[in-house]
Amino acid sequence: EVPVLFKKELQNEEAKEGKQVKLTCELSKPDAPVKWMKGDTVLYASEKYEFKQRGTVAELLIRDVKSMDA
């Protein structure tokens, strides 16, 4: 099976504390499973984190951004 690759990798984004930021990447295969991580920690959907995926595009929305989210 062909491995899933990044067609468009994550880009650095800036956001003001208390606002929200959206991180987006594009994969080589539509609807491939995506696991979002911060360092070694897996992120799970919550009031803070929202995940969306449409075809090859995966998005992570981080609400109420704090400096520790860097």
Side-chain angles (χ1 to χ4, degrees):
E1 187 172 320
V2 178
V4 178
L5 304 171
F6 286 108
K7 286 175 67 176
K8 179 182 173 210
E9 295 197 18
L10 285 176
Q11 302 296 310
N12 287 328
E13 298 288 343
E14 290 189 15
K16 294 188 180 189
E17 282 204 28
K19 300 294 184 186
Q20 65 183 26
V21 66
K22 181 174 20 175
L23 302 175
T24 305
C25 65
E26 188 173 353
L27 308 169
S28 61
K29 183 177 178 182
D31 302 315
V34 172
K35 179 174 18 174
W36 290 94
M37 301 179 71
K38 181 179 189 274
D40 294 330
T41 305
V42 177
L43 303 179
Y44 295 97
S46 63
E47 287 185 15
K48 184 165 184 73
Y49 303 115
E50 181 181 340
F51 310 114
K52 292 182 181 177
Q53 193 166 355
R54 290 182 305 277
T56 58
V57 177
E59 296 177 344
L60 165 62
L61 181 67
I62 304 174
R63 295 185 184 90
D64 191 21
V65 172
K66 303 286 188 215
S67 59
M68 66 180 209
D69 294 314

